[in-house]
Short mmCIF file of all heavy atoms in Angstrom, two decimals:
data_model
loop_
_atom_site.label_atom_id
_atom_site.label_comp_id
_atom_site.label_asym_id
_atom_site.label_seq_id
_atom_site.Cartn_x
_atom_site.Cartn_y
_atom_site.Cartn_z
N MET A 30 32.12 65.84 162.03
CA MET A 30 31.09 65.39 161.08
C MET A 30 29.93 66.35 161.09
O MET A 30 29.36 66.57 160.02
CB MET A 30 30.67 63.98 161.52
CG MET A 30 29.79 63.33 160.48
SD MET A 30 30.64 63.17 158.90
CE MET A 30 30.10 61.64 158.36
N GLU A 31 29.56 66.90 162.23
CA GLU A 31 28.47 67.83 162.30
C GLU A 31 28.79 69.11 161.48
O GLU A 31 27.89 69.65 160.83
CB GLU A 31 28.17 68.17 163.71
CG GLU A 31 26.96 69.07 163.89
CD GLU A 31 25.65 68.44 163.40
OE1 GLU A 31 25.53 67.23 163.48
OE2 GLU A 31 24.81 69.19 162.92
N GLN A 32 30.05 69.52 161.50
CA GLN A 32 30.43 70.73 160.74
C GLN A 32 30.25 70.45 159.23
O GLN A 32 29.83 71.34 158.51
CB GLN A 32 31.89 71.05 161.04
CG GLN A 32 32.35 72.29 160.37
CD GLN A 32 33.84 72.60 160.66
OE1 GLN A 32 34.51 71.75 161.25
NE2 GLN A 32 34.26 73.76 160.31
N LEU A 33 30.55 69.23 158.80
CA LEU A 33 30.37 68.91 157.37
C LEU A 33 28.90 68.88 157.00
O LEU A 33 28.54 69.42 155.92
CB LEU A 33 30.96 67.52 157.11
CG LEU A 33 30.98 67.05 155.68
CD1 LEU A 33 31.83 67.98 154.83
CD2 LEU A 33 31.52 65.64 155.60
N ARG A 34 28.05 68.43 157.88
CA ARG A 34 26.59 68.45 157.61
C ARG A 34 26.07 69.86 157.50
O ARG A 34 25.25 70.20 156.64
CB ARG A 34 25.84 67.68 158.70
CG ARG A 34 25.99 66.23 158.57
CD ARG A 34 25.03 65.51 159.53
NE ARG A 34 25.28 64.07 159.45
CZ ARG A 34 25.52 63.34 160.47
NH1 ARG A 34 25.56 63.83 161.69
NH2 ARG A 34 25.75 62.05 160.33
N GLN A 35 26.55 70.73 158.39
CA GLN A 35 26.12 72.12 158.36
C GLN A 35 26.59 72.83 157.09
O GLN A 35 25.85 73.60 156.51
CB GLN A 35 26.64 72.88 159.61
CG GLN A 35 26.01 72.46 160.89
CD GLN A 35 26.63 73.11 162.08
OE1 GLN A 35 27.67 73.79 161.95
NE2 GLN A 35 26.05 72.89 163.27
N MET A 36 27.80 72.52 156.67
CA MET A 36 28.35 73.11 155.43
C MET A 36 27.54 72.66 154.24
O MET A 36 27.18 73.43 153.38
CB MET A 36 29.79 72.74 155.28
CG MET A 36 30.47 73.52 154.18
SD MET A 36 32.23 73.07 153.84
CE MET A 36 32.84 72.61 155.36
N HIS A 37 27.23 71.35 154.19
CA HIS A 37 26.41 70.81 153.13
C HIS A 37 25.02 71.50 153.07
O HIS A 37 24.55 71.91 152.00
CB HIS A 37 26.25 69.31 153.28
CG HIS A 37 25.32 68.69 152.26
ND1 HIS A 37 23.96 68.52 152.52
CD2 HIS A 37 25.52 68.25 151.01
CE1 HIS A 37 23.39 68.00 151.48
NE2 HIS A 37 24.30 67.79 150.53
N LYS A 38 24.42 71.63 154.24
CA LYS A 38 23.10 72.23 154.27
C LYS A 38 23.15 73.70 153.82
O LYS A 38 22.28 74.15 153.06
CB LYS A 38 22.56 72.19 155.76
CG LYS A 38 21.19 72.75 155.91
CD LYS A 38 20.71 72.66 157.32
CE LYS A 38 19.32 73.29 157.45
NZ LYS A 38 18.88 73.29 158.85
N ARG A 39 24.17 74.41 154.22
CA ARG A 39 24.31 75.82 153.81
C ARG A 39 24.50 75.93 152.28
O ARG A 39 23.82 76.73 151.64
CB ARG A 39 25.51 76.43 154.52
CG ARG A 39 25.68 77.90 154.30
CD ARG A 39 26.79 78.50 155.15
NE ARG A 39 27.92 77.52 155.22
CZ ARG A 39 28.65 77.33 156.30
NH1 ARG A 39 28.45 78.03 157.34
NH2 ARG A 39 29.64 76.45 156.27
N TYR A 40 25.38 75.15 151.69
CA TYR A 40 25.59 75.17 150.25
C TYR A 40 24.35 74.69 149.48
O TYR A 40 24.02 75.26 148.44
CB TYR A 40 26.82 74.36 149.85
CG TYR A 40 28.12 75.03 150.17
CD1 TYR A 40 29.07 74.40 150.96
CD2 TYR A 40 28.41 76.29 149.65
CE1 TYR A 40 30.26 75.03 151.27
CE2 TYR A 40 29.62 76.90 149.94
CZ TYR A 40 30.51 76.27 150.75
OH TYR A 40 31.68 76.92 151.02
N TYR A 41 23.70 73.70 150.02
CA TYR A 41 22.48 73.19 149.45
C TYR A 41 21.39 74.31 149.36
O TYR A 41 20.74 74.52 148.35
CB TYR A 41 21.95 72.01 150.20
CG TYR A 41 20.66 71.40 149.61
CD1 TYR A 41 20.73 70.38 148.67
CD2 TYR A 41 19.40 71.81 150.02
CE1 TYR A 41 19.60 69.82 148.15
CE2 TYR A 41 18.27 71.31 149.49
CZ TYR A 41 18.37 70.26 148.53
OH TYR A 41 17.21 69.75 148.01
N GLU A 42 21.20 75.01 150.48
CA GLU A 42 20.23 76.08 150.52
C GLU A 42 20.53 77.23 149.54
O GLU A 42 19.66 77.75 148.87
CB GLU A 42 20.10 76.64 151.92
CG GLU A 42 19.46 75.65 152.93
CD GLU A 42 19.55 76.09 154.35
OE1 GLU A 42 20.24 77.10 154.65
OE2 GLU A 42 18.92 75.38 155.18
N VAL A 43 21.81 77.59 149.45
CA VAL A 43 22.22 78.65 148.51
C VAL A 43 21.97 78.21 147.11
O VAL A 43 21.40 78.96 146.28
CB VAL A 43 23.70 79.03 148.72
CG1 VAL A 43 24.21 79.92 147.60
CG2 VAL A 43 23.89 79.68 150.07
N ALA A 44 22.38 76.98 146.77
CA ALA A 44 22.20 76.46 145.40
C ALA A 44 20.70 76.35 145.07
O ALA A 44 20.29 76.66 143.95
CB ALA A 44 22.85 75.12 145.23
N ASP A 45 19.91 75.90 146.05
CA ASP A 45 18.47 75.76 145.82
C ASP A 45 17.83 77.13 145.53
O ASP A 45 16.99 77.25 144.60
CB ASP A 45 17.83 75.09 147.02
CG ASP A 45 16.40 74.73 146.76
OD1 ASP A 45 16.15 74.03 145.76
OD2 ASP A 45 15.50 75.14 147.54
N ARG A 46 18.24 78.13 146.27
CA ARG A 46 17.68 79.50 146.02
C ARG A 46 18.10 80.03 144.63
O ARG A 46 17.25 80.57 143.92
CB ARG A 46 18.24 80.46 147.09
CG ARG A 46 17.21 80.86 148.08
CD ARG A 46 17.74 81.89 149.06
NE ARG A 46 18.61 81.16 149.98
CZ ARG A 46 19.76 81.57 150.42
NH1 ARG A 46 20.19 82.76 150.10
NH2 ARG A 46 20.51 80.84 151.21
N GLN A 47 19.34 79.79 144.25
CA GLN A 47 19.79 80.24 142.95
C GLN A 47 19.09 79.46 141.81
O GLN A 47 18.71 80.06 140.80
CB GLN A 47 21.30 80.12 142.81
CG GLN A 47 22.10 81.02 143.71
CD GLN A 47 21.90 82.46 143.33
OE1 GLN A 47 21.83 82.84 142.17
NE2 GLN A 47 21.79 83.33 144.35
N LEU A 48 18.91 78.20 141.96
CA LEU A 48 18.29 77.37 140.95
C LEU A 48 16.78 77.62 140.82
O LEU A 48 16.18 77.35 139.80
CB LEU A 48 18.57 75.91 141.15
CG LEU A 48 20.00 75.47 140.95
CD1 LEU A 48 20.18 74.03 141.43
CD2 LEU A 48 20.40 75.60 139.50
N SER A 49 16.21 78.20 141.87
CA SER A 49 14.76 78.47 141.83
C SER A 49 14.45 79.60 140.85
O SER A 49 13.31 79.76 140.45
CB SER A 49 14.28 78.90 143.23
OG SER A 49 14.36 77.77 144.10
N THR A 50 15.47 80.34 140.43
CA THR A 50 15.21 81.40 139.44
C THR A 50 15.23 80.89 137.99
O THR A 50 14.85 81.65 137.12
CB THR A 50 16.30 82.49 139.58
OG1 THR A 50 17.59 81.91 139.23
CG2 THR A 50 16.32 83.07 140.98
N VAL A 51 15.59 79.64 137.79
CA VAL A 51 15.65 79.08 136.45
C VAL A 51 14.39 78.25 136.19
O VAL A 51 14.11 77.25 136.90
CB VAL A 51 16.88 78.19 136.26
CG1 VAL A 51 16.96 77.62 134.87
CG2 VAL A 51 18.15 79.00 136.59
N GLY A 52 13.59 78.66 135.24
CA GLY A 52 12.31 77.98 134.95
C GLY A 52 12.42 76.55 134.57
O GLY A 52 11.63 75.71 135.01
N ALA A 53 13.40 76.20 133.74
CA ALA A 53 13.53 74.84 133.28
C ALA A 53 13.89 73.91 134.45
O ALA A 53 13.44 72.76 134.47
CB ALA A 53 14.63 74.76 132.21
N VAL A 54 14.67 74.39 135.39
CA VAL A 54 15.05 73.54 136.51
C VAL A 54 13.85 73.36 137.45
O VAL A 54 13.65 72.26 138.00
CB VAL A 54 16.22 74.19 137.25
CG1 VAL A 54 16.61 73.39 138.48
CG2 VAL A 54 17.46 74.36 136.34
N ARG A 55 13.05 74.39 137.63
CA ARG A 55 11.85 74.26 138.43
C ARG A 55 10.87 73.23 137.81
O ARG A 55 10.27 72.41 138.50
CB ARG A 55 11.14 75.62 138.59
CG ARG A 55 11.76 76.49 139.62
CD ARG A 55 10.87 77.67 139.96
NE ARG A 55 10.24 78.26 138.78
CZ ARG A 55 10.50 79.46 138.29
NH1 ARG A 55 11.44 80.18 138.81
NH2 ARG A 55 9.90 79.86 137.22
N ALA A 56 10.74 73.32 136.49
CA ALA A 56 9.84 72.38 135.76
C ALA A 56 10.38 70.96 135.91
O ALA A 56 9.58 70.03 136.11
CB ALA A 56 9.74 72.77 134.32
N PHE A 57 11.70 70.79 135.84
CA PHE A 57 12.29 69.46 136.01
C PHE A 57 11.94 68.88 137.39
O PHE A 57 11.57 67.71 137.51
CB PHE A 57 13.80 69.54 135.85
CG PHE A 57 14.55 68.31 136.25
CD1 PHE A 57 14.64 67.26 135.41
CD2 PHE A 57 15.17 68.20 137.46
CE1 PHE A 57 15.29 66.07 135.75
CE2 PHE A 57 15.83 67.08 137.87
CZ PHE A 57 15.89 65.97 136.98
N GLU A 58 12.05 69.74 138.44
CA GLU A 58 11.74 69.27 139.78
C GLU A 58 10.29 68.90 139.93
O GLU A 58 9.94 67.90 140.57
CB GLU A 58 12.14 70.34 140.78
CG GLU A 58 11.88 69.89 142.22
CD GLU A 58 12.24 70.95 143.27
OE1 GLU A 58 12.02 72.18 142.95
OE2 GLU A 58 12.76 70.61 144.32
N GLU A 59 9.41 69.71 139.34
CA GLU A 59 7.98 69.44 139.43
C GLU A 59 7.59 68.13 138.75
O GLU A 59 6.79 67.34 139.26
CB GLU A 59 7.17 70.58 138.87
CG GLU A 59 7.26 71.84 139.70
CD GLU A 59 6.65 73.04 138.99
OE1 GLU A 59 6.07 72.90 137.90
OE2 GLU A 59 6.73 74.15 139.57
N LYS A 60 8.18 67.87 137.57
CA LYS A 60 7.85 66.68 136.81
C LYS A 60 8.43 65.40 137.37
O LYS A 60 7.81 64.37 137.34
CB LYS A 60 8.26 66.84 135.35
CG LYS A 60 7.45 67.83 134.59
CD LYS A 60 7.88 67.90 133.14
CE LYS A 60 7.06 68.92 132.41
NZ LYS A 60 7.47 69.03 131.01
N THR A 61 9.65 65.47 137.90
CA THR A 61 10.33 64.27 138.33
C THR A 61 10.29 64.03 139.83
O THR A 61 10.43 62.93 140.29
CB THR A 61 11.82 64.29 137.94
OG1 THR A 61 12.49 65.39 138.56
CG2 THR A 61 11.96 64.40 136.41
N GLY A 62 10.13 65.12 140.61
CA GLY A 62 10.18 64.97 142.07
C GLY A 62 11.60 64.93 142.62
O GLY A 62 11.79 64.79 143.81
N VAL A 63 12.59 65.04 141.74
CA VAL A 63 13.99 65.05 142.16
C VAL A 63 14.33 66.50 142.56
O VAL A 63 14.06 67.43 141.79
CB VAL A 63 14.92 64.55 141.01
CG1 VAL A 63 16.36 64.68 141.42
CG2 VAL A 63 14.54 63.13 140.61
N PRO A 64 14.97 66.70 143.69
CA PRO A 64 15.32 68.05 144.08
C PRO A 64 16.26 68.74 143.04
O PRO A 64 17.07 68.08 142.40
CB PRO A 64 16.14 67.86 145.39
CG PRO A 64 15.65 66.59 145.94
CD PRO A 64 15.30 65.76 144.77
N LYS A 65 16.06 70.04 142.85
CA LYS A 65 16.77 70.78 141.82
C LYS A 65 18.30 70.62 141.95
O LYS A 65 18.98 70.39 140.94
CB LYS A 65 16.42 72.28 141.92
CG LYS A 65 15.03 72.65 141.67
CD LYS A 65 14.78 74.14 141.78
CE LYS A 65 14.74 74.64 143.17
NZ LYS A 65 13.57 74.38 143.98
N VAL A 66 18.77 70.72 143.15
CA VAL A 66 20.24 70.67 143.37
C VAL A 66 20.77 69.32 142.92
O VAL A 66 21.83 69.25 142.26
CB VAL A 66 20.54 70.96 144.84
CG1 VAL A 66 22.01 70.83 145.11
CG2 VAL A 66 20.05 72.34 145.21
N TYR A 67 20.13 68.25 143.27
CA TYR A 67 20.59 66.93 142.89
C TYR A 67 20.51 66.69 141.41
O TYR A 67 21.35 66.00 140.80
CB TYR A 67 19.85 65.85 143.70
CG TYR A 67 20.11 65.90 145.18
CD1 TYR A 67 19.13 65.64 146.06
CD2 TYR A 67 21.35 66.27 145.66
CE1 TYR A 67 19.36 65.69 147.42
CE2 TYR A 67 21.58 66.32 147.04
CZ TYR A 67 20.57 66.02 147.90
OH TYR A 67 20.80 66.11 149.25
N GLY A 68 19.45 67.21 140.78
CA GLY A 68 19.32 67.05 139.31
C GLY A 68 20.42 67.73 138.57
O GLY A 68 21.05 67.17 137.66
N VAL A 69 20.72 68.98 138.95
CA VAL A 69 21.80 69.74 138.30
C VAL A 69 23.14 69.09 138.59
O VAL A 69 24.02 68.98 137.68
CB VAL A 69 21.76 71.20 138.76
CG1 VAL A 69 22.99 71.93 138.29
CG2 VAL A 69 20.51 71.87 138.22
N ALA A 70 23.35 68.61 139.81
CA ALA A 70 24.64 67.95 140.13
C ALA A 70 24.78 66.65 139.35
O ALA A 70 25.91 66.38 138.88
CB ALA A 70 24.68 67.63 141.64
N GLY A 71 23.72 65.94 139.11
CA GLY A 71 23.77 64.74 138.30
C GLY A 71 24.11 65.01 136.86
O GLY A 71 24.93 64.32 136.27
N VAL A 72 23.49 66.04 136.29
CA VAL A 72 23.78 66.41 134.91
C VAL A 72 25.26 66.85 134.78
O VAL A 72 25.95 66.48 133.87
CB VAL A 72 22.82 67.48 134.43
CG1 VAL A 72 23.28 68.09 133.08
CG2 VAL A 72 21.42 66.94 134.31
N ALA A 73 25.71 67.66 135.74
CA ALA A 73 27.10 68.14 135.75
C ALA A 73 28.06 66.96 135.87
O ALA A 73 29.11 66.89 135.17
CB ALA A 73 27.33 69.09 136.88
N ALA A 74 27.75 65.98 136.68
CA ALA A 74 28.60 64.78 136.83
C ALA A 74 28.60 63.97 135.56
O ALA A 74 29.65 63.48 135.13
CB ALA A 74 28.11 63.92 138.02
N LEU A 75 27.45 63.85 134.89
CA LEU A 75 27.41 63.12 133.66
C LEU A 75 28.24 63.79 132.57
O LEU A 75 29.03 63.16 131.90
CB LEU A 75 25.94 63.00 133.19
CG LEU A 75 25.70 62.32 131.85
CD1 LEU A 75 26.12 60.84 131.96
CD2 LEU A 75 24.29 62.44 131.44
N VAL A 76 28.10 65.09 132.43
CA VAL A 76 28.85 65.82 131.41
C VAL A 76 30.33 65.80 131.75
O VAL A 76 31.19 65.59 130.86
CB VAL A 76 28.33 67.26 131.24
CG1 VAL A 76 29.26 68.09 130.42
CG2 VAL A 76 26.93 67.28 130.68
N GLY A 77 30.65 65.96 133.04
CA GLY A 77 32.06 65.87 133.46
C GLY A 77 32.67 64.54 133.16
O GLY A 77 33.83 64.46 132.69
N SER A 78 31.90 63.47 133.38
CA SER A 78 32.41 62.14 133.07
C SER A 78 32.60 61.94 131.56
O SER A 78 33.56 61.36 131.13
CB SER A 78 31.45 61.07 133.60
OG SER A 78 31.35 61.15 134.98
N MET A 79 31.69 62.47 130.80
CA MET A 79 31.78 62.38 129.35
C MET A 79 33.03 63.10 128.85
O MET A 79 33.73 62.63 127.92
CB MET A 79 30.53 62.90 128.66
CG MET A 79 29.32 62.04 128.91
SD MET A 79 27.78 62.80 128.31
CE MET A 79 27.99 62.62 126.54
N VAL A 80 33.31 64.28 129.43
CA VAL A 80 34.51 65.01 129.03
C VAL A 80 35.77 64.27 129.49
O VAL A 80 36.73 64.14 128.73
CB VAL A 80 34.49 66.42 129.61
CG1 VAL A 80 35.83 67.12 129.45
CG2 VAL A 80 33.38 67.23 128.95
N PHE A 81 35.80 63.78 130.71
CA PHE A 81 36.95 63.10 131.26
C PHE A 81 37.31 61.85 130.48
O PHE A 81 38.46 61.60 130.15
CB PHE A 81 36.71 62.75 132.76
CG PHE A 81 37.89 62.10 133.40
CD1 PHE A 81 38.96 62.87 133.81
CD2 PHE A 81 37.93 60.75 133.61
CE1 PHE A 81 40.05 62.29 134.40
CE2 PHE A 81 39.01 60.14 134.22
CZ PHE A 81 40.11 60.92 134.60
N PHE A 82 36.29 61.07 130.10
CA PHE A 82 36.55 59.83 129.43
C PHE A 82 36.48 59.99 127.89
O PHE A 82 36.57 59.05 127.14
CB PHE A 82 35.56 58.74 129.84
CG PHE A 82 35.75 58.31 131.23
CD1 PHE A 82 34.84 58.62 132.23
CD2 PHE A 82 36.90 57.63 131.62
CE1 PHE A 82 35.02 58.21 133.57
CE2 PHE A 82 37.11 57.23 132.93
CZ PHE A 82 36.14 57.55 133.91
N ASN A 83 36.26 61.22 127.42
CA ASN A 83 36.25 61.57 125.99
C ASN A 83 35.14 60.76 125.26
O ASN A 83 35.40 60.24 124.14
CB ASN A 83 37.61 61.38 125.33
CG ASN A 83 37.70 62.18 124.03
OD1 ASN A 83 36.94 63.07 123.80
ND2 ASN A 83 38.60 61.76 123.18
N VAL A 84 34.00 60.64 125.85
CA VAL A 84 32.88 59.94 125.26
C VAL A 84 31.97 60.98 124.67
O VAL A 84 31.63 61.99 125.29
CB VAL A 84 32.13 59.12 126.33
CG1 VAL A 84 30.91 58.44 125.76
CG2 VAL A 84 33.06 58.10 126.97
N ALA A 85 31.54 60.76 123.46
CA ALA A 85 30.57 61.63 122.76
C ALA A 85 31.10 63.07 122.69
O ALA A 85 30.41 64.02 122.85
CB ALA A 85 29.22 61.61 123.45
N ALA A 86 32.39 63.20 122.43
CA ALA A 86 33.04 64.53 122.31
C ALA A 86 32.39 65.37 121.22
O ALA A 86 32.10 66.57 121.44
CB ALA A 86 34.51 64.42 122.06
N PRO A 87 32.09 64.81 120.02
CA PRO A 87 31.42 65.61 119.01
C PRO A 87 30.06 66.16 119.42
O PRO A 87 29.70 67.26 119.15
CB PRO A 87 31.29 64.69 117.81
CG PRO A 87 32.35 63.65 118.02
CD PRO A 87 32.48 63.51 119.51
N LEU A 88 29.32 65.34 120.17
CA LEU A 88 28.02 65.77 120.67
C LEU A 88 28.19 66.96 121.63
O LEU A 88 27.43 67.94 121.51
CB LEU A 88 27.30 64.61 121.36
CG LEU A 88 26.00 64.97 122.08
CD1 LEU A 88 24.96 65.43 121.07
CD2 LEU A 88 25.51 63.81 122.90
N LEU A 89 29.11 66.85 122.54
CA LEU A 89 29.32 67.93 123.50
C LEU A 89 29.77 69.22 122.80
O LEU A 89 29.31 70.31 123.15
CB LEU A 89 30.32 67.55 124.54
CG LEU A 89 29.86 66.48 125.56
CD1 LEU A 89 31.00 66.07 126.42
CD2 LEU A 89 28.70 67.02 126.35
N VAL A 90 30.64 69.11 121.81
CA VAL A 90 31.11 70.30 121.06
C VAL A 90 29.97 70.92 120.32
O VAL A 90 29.80 72.15 120.28
CB VAL A 90 32.25 69.92 120.14
CG1 VAL A 90 32.62 71.03 119.20
CG2 VAL A 90 33.47 69.49 120.96
N ASN A 91 29.14 70.10 119.67
CA ASN A 91 28.02 70.65 118.93
C ASN A 91 27.00 71.33 119.84
O ASN A 91 26.44 72.35 119.52
CB ASN A 91 27.36 69.54 118.09
CG ASN A 91 28.20 69.13 116.93
OD1 ASN A 91 29.02 69.88 116.43
ND2 ASN A 91 28.00 67.90 116.45
N LEU A 92 26.76 70.71 120.99
CA LEU A 92 25.80 71.30 121.94
C LEU A 92 26.30 72.65 122.48
O LEU A 92 25.57 73.59 122.67
CB LEU A 92 25.50 70.34 123.09
CG LEU A 92 24.62 69.14 122.74
CD1 LEU A 92 24.53 68.20 123.93
CD2 LEU A 92 23.27 69.58 122.28
N THR A 93 27.61 72.69 122.76
CA THR A 93 28.23 73.90 123.25
C THR A 93 28.13 74.99 122.15
O THR A 93 27.78 76.13 122.43
CB THR A 93 29.70 73.67 123.61
OG1 THR A 93 29.74 72.66 124.59
CG2 THR A 93 30.34 74.94 124.16
N GLY A 94 28.43 74.66 120.92
CA GLY A 94 28.34 75.61 119.82
C GLY A 94 26.88 76.08 119.62
O GLY A 94 26.66 77.27 119.38
N PHE A 95 25.94 75.17 119.74
CA PHE A 95 24.53 75.51 119.61
C PHE A 95 24.13 76.43 120.73
O PHE A 95 23.36 77.42 120.53
CB PHE A 95 23.64 74.26 119.64
CG PHE A 95 22.23 74.55 119.49
CD1 PHE A 95 21.68 74.86 118.27
CD2 PHE A 95 21.38 74.43 120.60
CE1 PHE A 95 20.30 75.14 118.14
CE2 PHE A 95 20.03 74.69 120.47
CZ PHE A 95 19.50 75.05 119.24
N GLY A 96 24.67 76.24 121.91
CA GLY A 96 24.33 77.10 123.07
C GLY A 96 24.85 78.52 122.86
O GLY A 96 24.22 79.48 123.33
N TYR A 97 25.98 78.67 122.21
CA TYR A 97 26.53 80.00 122.01
C TYR A 97 25.93 80.70 120.83
O TYR A 97 26.05 81.93 120.70
CB TYR A 97 28.06 79.89 121.80
CG TYR A 97 28.80 79.80 123.10
CD1 TYR A 97 29.50 78.62 123.37
CD2 TYR A 97 28.84 80.81 124.01
CE1 TYR A 97 30.21 78.50 124.60
CE2 TYR A 97 29.54 80.71 125.19
CZ TYR A 97 30.22 79.59 125.48
OH TYR A 97 30.88 79.48 126.63
N ALA A 98 25.29 80.00 119.94
CA ALA A 98 24.73 80.59 118.71
C ALA A 98 23.46 81.40 118.99
O ALA A 98 22.83 81.32 119.92
CB ALA A 98 24.40 79.51 117.70
#
């Protein structure tokens, strides 16, 4: 169990360092008080669930297309 905690801590620190370079993520953390890593993981889980259950597929496709434009 201790090895799992150390692995989580290591990945958390790496992700936190990488996310600190993104201004929007830093602003999100400052405004909400939610750690950057957990906020991004939550958004990824929400989008992943939407894709898995095919909910709001047109919205996701349009947002993806807008992002590439």
Side-chain angles (χ1 to χ4, degrees):
M30 190 60 142
E31 185 61 33
Q32 184 181 10
L33 185 62
R34 285 190 185 126
Q35 290 174 353
M36 190 183 328
H37 174 267
K38 183 179 178 184
R39 185 175 37 217
Y40 284 123
Y41 181 90
E42 290 170 353
V43 169
D45 190 54
R46 253 184 285 139
Q47 292 294 322
L48 291 172
S49 292
T50 63
V51 181
V54 177
R55 282 193 318 251
F57 170 80
E58 182 180 37
E59 291 171 4
K60 288 182 181 180
T61 63
V63 176
K65 296 181 284 286
V66 176
Y67 295 143
V69 170
V72 169
L75 177 66
V76 171
S78 297
M79 291 172 74
V80 169
F81 183 77
F82 294 111
N83 198 22
V84 177
L88 173 65
L89 291 173
V90 170
N91 288 336
L92 288 174
T93 303
F95 180 74
Y97 279 114

